[in-house]
């Protein structure tokens, strides 16, 4: 048994450690975007599916002796792909599609070895079942998840902080060679244990074993898909506003694996009522995070989202484990689970990016997890009945009506068919609830029903009044299309809520049996699904005012909104995620003046106005990493030159279309597409130094500065591109991270002086809401600049120890702000 356990453990350890290793390796190549991890995860899930498909075909359709020989040959072949170090030639240039570039890179580096590792779990368990008759192979599945968990935990705690990324790749490659030796040992044992070569069953019926229905296959896939979607959606949510580091990937993935270990090795620990209740409560807390994302600190959001994820994956995997078949169908079972995992990755990385303009996959997956969990519970307990189906359909229809009425306001206002659809849907919910009430009460024992004729008449009057309200609502909606746009959503919600209130009141008022309170609990739980759905989706409409355009791509979600200021008039704002990254007022006298974080007393304002070249009348040369609206061009003068580096093509497109800072500045401007660090490094390879007088790092994604722009190696690149006396200005305003220790360490490494400028504009003076508080750090060795009267007061001693980030290591735990809700 030892070689089988060793092989399972090694394969699982290597399978999951290669994921953070390779993703960490290529993360700086793609601008530190959270989509690097989700794209890698999607690729790995599809590779896992390929491996499981191979295992299923080999284990069920090829004789055992031939299986062992084929597998040994395949393993030896994959050794030629080692070591798994991406070649520099695979670095992106900035013009290709990042997702396809990452997939190509993974195909050429880790795909063969990963797919081979993915075959190990099902195939080795199948061989184990043949070698050890009567012993359950599912304990090996739990062991494999333990190996995977140890791989994930050990990476940020042991491997990442102590070894370089190149050494990590070499260590993994050596471990893979050891795995090939161990797995070959198992193959030899299987060869010896198999006395004869039985003919393979090639019939079509053998594709699906007896006793496995299509409905069961579908259930396996669905119960595996929802956790996969939630895993990637939660990781996206946590990474979009905080620096993208392995810890934010590994904790959710570890919880995902822990659920497998518990459900398959300790099935008694899974309780439907406990984890179902935890799922509903944590989903409601997650809605709060979605609606008010900055009201909680990083740790608060981190705890809530991961609690919701763990409760969801426990319920789904718990039900999945209770549906596991005998060992004859084991490989098919794992194949369907891998289909669900791959499908979840595709839904998040591909489908959601095409269908949703915002990150709606998280609330969708939360609602699906609650619905499937409760549906499975009802199915197992009571089977399927017409009354329960009617109730479930009514709840889902109610959620769909309310959410659709919000997102389709313009369509409802303009298209009569859409208005009639809302009317029909609301009427359907009312009739469905009335029918549910009638049928369930019809089957109750007479002794449980109230005999009062007056009460019965009151119920009838309540329903009559409800249908009257539905009729008036329908009449208003159809006859007043021009007024229905903004009011249709709240009125639809009010009418649907009235229908549910009357339905629940008239149904449960006469019931005196304690047994039926269980049904009331189920109804209440399903009602909470609506609360989660409506709250989460409404919480996703973060931007106030009018949205002019919204774009979602590999680098996240960005858009342009138009707003009204009571003092300064109309202005436009570009936003990324939930954070605004620049705005421009349309009023001519202030149209091209710096605003927001770029005012005259801000750190960047000092860098421009107090630069020694400004006082001698000479032009300056400026680099800006991160375009936004191009506001910084407003500081330019005739003769100055700006180079804007922007990795996201959607930002360039929006800035060109809706903002005029770069077009109307007297300076010369140039915009380069691609990751700034890669472009600057390429210049140095060609012995080209840009000789910037001011280099500005303002590359936000949501509320996060990409970490690879704040490492020791990045600072070396900046230093070589600075002119004598040049200044590096870094924008460190952040809700979650205190980046001062990091920039101080970079300044000391470059033998330069750092200053910190906290600017809190007096908004009470002349109603100056155009300027926001900002935090900037300026790093320079320009003694003349540091002596300027407006600069010198900011030369204060920083007490906190510096934190030096490198390309090989950088822990955000050292710089996370501890935030108390309400403060």
């Amino acid at each position: 048994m030892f070689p089988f356990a060793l092989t399972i453990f090694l394969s699982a350890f290597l399978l999951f450690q290669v994921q953070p290793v390779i993703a960490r390796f290529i993360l700086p190549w793609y601008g530190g975007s959270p989509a690097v991890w989700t794209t890698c995860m999607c690729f790995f899930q599809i590779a896992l599916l390929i491996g499981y498909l191979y295992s299923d075909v080999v284990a069920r359709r090829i004789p055992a002796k031939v299986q062992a020989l084929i597998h040994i040959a395949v393993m030896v072949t994959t050794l030629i792909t080692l070591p798994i170090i991406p070649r520099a030639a695979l670095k992106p240039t900035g013009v290709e599609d990042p997702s396809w570039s990452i997939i190509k890179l993974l195909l050429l580096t880790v795909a063969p070895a990963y797919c081979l590792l993915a075959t190990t779990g099902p195939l080795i368990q199948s061989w184990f079942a043949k070698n050890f008759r009567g012993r359950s192979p599912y304990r090996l599945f739990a062991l494999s998840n333990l190996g995977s968990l140890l791989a994930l935990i050990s990476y940020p705690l042991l491997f990442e902080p102590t070894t370089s990324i190149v050494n990590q790749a070499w260590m993994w490659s050596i471990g893979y060679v050891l795995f090939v030796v161990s797995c070959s040992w198992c193959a030899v044992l299987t060869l010896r244990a198999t006395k004869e070569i039985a003919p393979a069953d090639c019939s079509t019926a053998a594709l699906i074993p007896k006793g496995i229905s299509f409905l069961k296959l579908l259930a396996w896939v669905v119960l595996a898909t929802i956790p996969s979607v939630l895993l990637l959606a939660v990781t996206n949510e946590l990474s979009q506003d905080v620096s993208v580091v392995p810890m934010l990937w590994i904790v959710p993935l570890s919880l995902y694996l822990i659920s497998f270990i518990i459900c398959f090795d300790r099935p008694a620990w899974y309780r439907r009522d406990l984890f179902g209740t935890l799922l509903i409560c944590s989903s409601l807390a997650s809605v709060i995070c979605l609606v008010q994302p900055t009201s909680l600190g990083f740790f608060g959001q981190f705890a809530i989202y991961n609690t919701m994820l763990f409760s969801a994956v426990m319920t789904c995997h718990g039900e999945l484990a209770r549906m596991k078949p005998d060992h004859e169908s084991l490989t098919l079972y794992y194949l369907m689970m891998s289909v669900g995992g791959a499908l979840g990755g595709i839904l998040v990385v591909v489908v959601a990016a095409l269908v949703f303009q915002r990150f709606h996959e998280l609330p969708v997956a939360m609602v699906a997890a609650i619905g499937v969990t409760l549906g499975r519970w009802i199915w197992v307990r009571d089977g399927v009945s017409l009354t329960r189906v009617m109730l479930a359909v009514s709840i889902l229809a109610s959620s769909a009506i309310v959410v659709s009425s919000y997102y389709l306001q313009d369509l409802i206002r303009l298209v009569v068919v859409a208005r009639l659809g809302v009317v029909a849907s609301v009427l359907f919910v009312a009739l469905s609830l009335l029918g549910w009430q009638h049928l369930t009460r019809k089957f109750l024992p007479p002794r449980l029903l109230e005999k009062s004729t007056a009460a019965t008449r009151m119920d009838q009057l309540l329903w009559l009044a409800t249908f009257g309200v539905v009729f008036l609502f329908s009449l208003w909606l159809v006859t007043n299309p021009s007024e229905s746009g903004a009011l249709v959503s709240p009125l639809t919600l009010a009418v649907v809520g009235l229908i549910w209130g009357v339905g629940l009141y008239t149904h449960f008022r006469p019931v005196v049996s304690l047994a039926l309170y269980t049904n009331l609990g189920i109804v209440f739980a399903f009602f909470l699904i609506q609360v989660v759905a409506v709250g989460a989706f409404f919480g996703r409409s973060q931007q106030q005012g009018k949205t002019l355009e919204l774009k979602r791509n590999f680098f996240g979600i960005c858009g342009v909104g138009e707003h009204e200021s009571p003092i300064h008039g109309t202005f436009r704002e570009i936003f990324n995620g939930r954070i605004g990254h620049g705005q421009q007022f349309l009023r001519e006298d202030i149209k091209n003046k710096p605003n927001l974080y770029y005012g005259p007393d801000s750190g960047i304002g000092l860098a421009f106005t107090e630069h020694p070249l400004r006082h001698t009348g000479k032009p300056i040369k400026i680099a800006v990493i991160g375009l936004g609206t191009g506001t910084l061009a407003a500081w330019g003068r005739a003769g100055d030159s700006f180079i804007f580096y922007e990795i996201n093509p959607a930002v360039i497109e929006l800035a060109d279309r809706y903002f005029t800072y770069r077009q109307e500045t007297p300076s010369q401007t140039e915009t380069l597409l691609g990751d700034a660090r890669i472009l600057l490094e390429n210049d140095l390879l060609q012995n080209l130094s840009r000789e910037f007088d001011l280099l500005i790092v303002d590359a936000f994604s949501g509320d996060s500065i990409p970490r690879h722009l704040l490492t020791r190696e990045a600072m070396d690149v900046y230093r070589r591109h600075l002119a004598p006396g040049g200044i590096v200005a870094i924008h460190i305003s952040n809700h979650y991270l205190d980046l001062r220790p990091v920039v101080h360490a970079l300044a000391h490494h470059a033998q330069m002086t750092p200053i910190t400028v906290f600017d809190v504009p007096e908004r009470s003076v002349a109603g100056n809401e155009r300027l926001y508080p900002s935090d900037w750090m300026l790093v320079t060795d320009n003694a003349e600049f540091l002596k300027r009267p407006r600069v010198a007061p900011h030369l204060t001693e920083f007490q906190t120890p510096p934190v030096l980030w490198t390309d090989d290591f950088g822990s955000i735990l050292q710089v996370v702000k501890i935030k108390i809700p309400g403060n």
Side-chain angles (χ1 to χ4, degrees):
M1 183 176 176
F2 173 74
F4 292 90
L6 176 63
T7 302
I8 285 283
F9 182 85
L10 268 177
S11 68
F13 188 90
L14 295 170
L15 195 71
F16 277 83
Q17 186 157 91
V18 73
Q19 298 180 25
V21 168
I22 198 70
R24 177 71 178 78
F25 209 117
I26 66 176
L27 183 66
W29 296 5
Y30 296 92
S33 169
V36 172
W37 175 245
T38 53
T39 303
C40 287
M41 281 293 295
C42 180
F43 176 87
F44 289 134
Q45 287 169 327
I46 294 174
L48 192 70
L49 171 60
I50 295 171
Y52 278 19
L53 180 61
Y54 166 95
S55 299
D56 184 61
V57 172
V58 168
R60 294 201 297 119
R61 299 178 63 80
I62 297 178
K65 279 192 174 182
V66 180
Q67 293 175 28
L69 294 173
I70 291 176
H71 203 61
I72 290 175
V74 173
M75 284 190 295
V76 172
T77 303
T78 61
L79 293 175
I80 64 175
T81 63
L82 301 181
I84 54 159
I85 299 176
R87 302 190 306 273
L90 295 173
K91 279 189 176 183
T93 61
V95 296
E96 65 275 269
D97 179 84
S99 297
W100 289 113
S101 176
I102 290 173
I103 291 172
K104 175 185 173 183
L105 183 150
L106 295 175
L107 283 171
L108 295 174
T109 52
V110 300
Y114 191 90
C115 288
L116 192 280
L117 287 170
T119 68
T120 306
L123 191 59
I124 292 297
Q125 290 180 58
S126 175
W127 290 353
F128 178 87
K130 290 180 174 65
N131 281 271
F132 301 93
R133 299 284 180 179
R135 301 187 67 172
S136 173
Y138 287 105
R139 296 296 296 275
L140 291 178
F141 182 65
L143 177 64
S144 72
N145 283 289
L146 178 61
S148 303
L149 180 63
L150 289 176
L152 292 173
I153 294 175
S154 64
Y155 182 76
L157 298 180
L158 178 62
F159 292 98
E160 188 187 22
T162 59
T163 58
S164 70
I165 193 68
V166 174
N167 286 338
Q168 292 170 30
W170 272 107
M171 292 168 63
W172 188 93
S173 300
I174 294 171
Y176 182 78
V177 173
L178 295 177
F179 156 76
V180 169
V181 173
S182 176
C183 193
S184 300
W185 184 6
C186 295
V188 171
L189 292 177
T190 303
L191 279 170
R192 291 179 178 177
T194 306
K195 297 181 179 180
E196 59 183 11
I197 299 179
D201 184 359
C202 297
S203 64
T204 305
L207 294 176
I208 300 180
K210 293 181 179 179
I212 304 296
S213 65
F214 174 77
L215 193 60
K216 179 172 285 189
L217 291 177
L218 181 62
W220 290 345
V221 172
V222 171
L223 288 170
T225 300
I226 294 173
S228 175
V229 173
L230 272 174
L231 170 64
L232 296 181
V234 166
T235 305
N236 259 342
E237 191 68 32
L238 289 171
S239 298
Q240 67 172 313
D241 287 333
V242 182
S243 184
V244 183
V245 292
M247 186 195 75
L248 298 182
W249 313 334
I250 288 172
V251 172
L253 187 54
S254 298
L255 295 175
Y256 181 86
L257 292 174
I258 289 171
S259 70
F260 273 119
I261 297 172
I262 294 175
C263 295
F264 282 86
D265 194 53
R266 293 289 186 270
W269 289 3
Y270 167 62
R271 291 181 52 187
R272 288 191 181 104
D273 54 352
L274 174 63
F275 287 101
T277 302
L278 181 61
L279 172 58
I280 293 174
C281 295
S282 58
S283 295
L284 291 172
S286 298
V287 170
I288 297 174
C289 292
L290 292 172
V291 176
Q292 296 290 336
T294 58
S295 63
L296 297 171
F298 165 72
F299 289 113
Q301 290 197 58
F302 192 79
I304 289 173
Y305 282 131
N306 280 294
T307 300
M308 182 274 296
L309 173 67
F310 181 65
S311 57
V313 297
M314 273 298 299
T315 55
C316 291
H317 291 158
E319 297 302 325
L320 196 57
R322 293 187 178 185
M323 298 176 67
K324 62 180 181 283
D326 56 36
H327 69 85
E328 297 296 332
S329 304
L330 181 145
T331 54
L332 178 63
Y333 176 62
Y334 289 139
L335 176 61
M336 292 299 103
M337 289 170 58
S338 65
V339 168
L343 182 60
I346 293 171
L347 288 174
V348 172
V349 176
V350 180
V351 177
L354 294 174
V355 175
F356 299 136
Q357 288 187 313
R358 301 188 188 273
F359 290 120
H360 286 316
E361 51 267 32
L362 179 57
V364 167
M366 283 196 301
V367 173
I370 299 174
V372 168
T373 300
L374 292 173
R376 168 73 180 160
W377 179 42
I378 293 171
W379 182 290
V380 170
R381 193 192 67 172
D382 299 321
V384 180
S385 67
L386 177 61
T387 57
R388 295 196 182 280
V389 170
M390 291 178 66
L391 177 61
V393 170
S394 300
I395 294 165
L396 294 176
S398 301
S399 301
I401 294 167
V402 174
V403 172
S404 299
S405 68
Y406 179 82
Y407 284 98
L408 302 177
Q409 292 179 34
D410 293 337
L411 183 65
I412 293 170
R413 180 173 56 84
L414 298 173
V415 181
V416 66
V417 175
R419 297 195 292 276
L420 293 175
V422 174
V423 170
S425 300
V426 172
L427 187 62
F428 167 79
V429 170
L431 292 172
S432 181
L433 282 179
L434 182 60
W436 165 72
Q437 173 188 320
H438 173 73
L439 286 174
T440 50
R441 291 186 63 179
K442 180 179 179 181
F443 295 121
L444 291 176
R447 61 185 177 80
L448 294 180
L449 297 177
E450 196 173 57
K451 303 292 185 180
S452 172
T453 304
T456 304
R457 289 176 179 171
M458 180 58 69
D459 291 351
Q460 294 171 348
L461 288 174
L462 281 173
W463 273 111
L464 184 62
T466 300
F467 278 99
V469 171
V470 171
F471 173 77
L472 292 175
F473 168 74
S474 304
L475 186 65
W476 169 82
L477 186 62
V478 173
T479 58
N480 294 275
S482 61
E483 300 176 5
S484 61
L487 293 175
V488 64
S489 182
L491 286 180
T492 303
L493 179 60
V495 172
V496 171
L498 172 66
I499 295 171
W500 271 94
V502 172
L504 294 178
Y505 172 76
T506 57
H507 179 68
F508 287 102
R509 179 187 51 75
V511 176
V512 294
S513 171
L514 184 62
L516 286 182
Y517 280 101
T518 303
N519 292 335
L520 179 60
I522 294 172
V523 173
F524 181 68
F526 270 114
F527 182 72
L528 286 180
I529 299 178
Q530 283 188 245
V531 175
V532 172
V534 174
F537 276 93
F538 281 16
R540 279 309 193 193
S541 58
Q542 298 110 351
Q543 304 302 324
Q544 301 296 321
K546 179 182 179 181
T547 300
L548 300 180
E549 191 167 350
L550 197 63
K551 289 182 175 292
R552 175 175 177 173
N553 60 14
F554 178 85
F555 299 101
I557 296 171
C558 59
V560 175
E562 191 166 271
H563 313 263
E564 293 294 330
S565 165
I567 297 176
H568 301 292
T570 305
F571 67 94
R572 291 174 179 172
E573 179 183 46
I574 195 169
F575 55 86
N576 188 299
R578 291 182 282 253
I579 307 299
H581 290 309
Q583 59 183 225
Q584 184 174 31
F585 287 85
L586 302 187
R587 209 175 76 192
E588 286 298 327
D589 61 325
I590 57 174
K591 183 178 182 181
N592 289 311
K593 289 186 178 180
N595 52 41
L596 292 185
Y597 317 103
Y598 313 110
D601 294 322
S602 67
I604 195 60
L606 293 181
F608 273 104
T609 58
E610 301 301 321
H611 197 290
L613 293 178
R614 275 282 192 257
H615 294 276
T616 61
K618 295 180 180 179
I620 60 176
K621 192 174 182 180
I622 306 106
V624 182
I625 300 177
L627 173 60
T629 61
T631 306
L632 287 168
W635 281 109
R637 296 179 180 177
D640 294 343
S641 63
F642 284 82
I643 297 181
F644 288 91
Y645 295 90
E646 177 56 52
I647 195 172
N648 190 346
V651 172
I652 297 177
E653 184 178 344
L654 294 174
D656 287 341
R657 186 173 302 164
Y658 296 101
F659 303 92
T660 62
Y661 287 113
R662 289 172 300 151
Q663 292 86 344
E664 298 182 3
T665 179
S667 307
Q668 295 180 347
T669 65
E670 180 183 3
T671 304
L672 300 180
L673 175 63
D675 181 79
R677 180 170 162 185
I678 292 177
L679 295 176
L680 292 171
E681 287 174 345
N682 290 339
D683 287 340
L684 294 176
L685 291 175
Q686 300 175 20
N687 295 319
L688 172 63
S689 174
R690 296 281 186 172
E691 297 288 326
F692 294 119
D693 300 301
L694 178 58
L695 191 153
I696 304 166
V697 182
D698 190 23
F700 287 86
S701 174
D703 205 22
S704 167
I705 298 176
R707 195 183 66 84
H708 74 290
L709 297 178
L710 292 178
T711 64
R712 176 184 61 198
E713 293 80 1
M715 191 64 187
D716 290 338
V717 173
Y718 304 153
R719 191 77 168 91
R720 293 178 63 185
H721 276 287
L722 282 181
I727 302 170
V728 178
I730 302 176
H731 193 181
I732 62 169
S733 302
N734 198 287
H735 285 102
Y736 304 106
L737 306 178
D738 180 4
L739 296 170
R740 289 176 297 166
V742 176
V743 181
H744 268 265
L746 296 179
H748 293 157
H749 165 72
Q751 298 182 344
M752 301 169 77
T753 301
I755 66 171
T756 307
V757 181
F758 299 113
D759 178 35
V760 182
E762 289 291 337
R763 299 189 183 187
S764 58
V765 179
N768 188 18
E769 79 276 7
R770 293 190 306 111
L771 299 177
Y772 287 3
S774 64
D775 303 335
W776 285 84
M777 291 194 68
L778 309 179
V779 180
T780 186
D781 57 3
N782 191 319
E784 184 180 350
F785 172 77
L786 296 173
K787 293 177 181 178
R788 301 292 303 174
R790 295 180 62 211
V791 176
H794 297 284
L795 279 168
T796 57
E797 188 67 27
F798 188 61
Q799 303 298 325
T800 305
V803 175
L804 183 62
W805 285 353
T806 69
D807 285 350
D808 283 339
F809 174 71
S811 174
I812 67 167
L813 292 178
Q814 298 170 290
V815 294
V816 170
K817 294 179 180 178
I818 306 298
K819 184 175 181 180
I820 301 175
N823 288 356

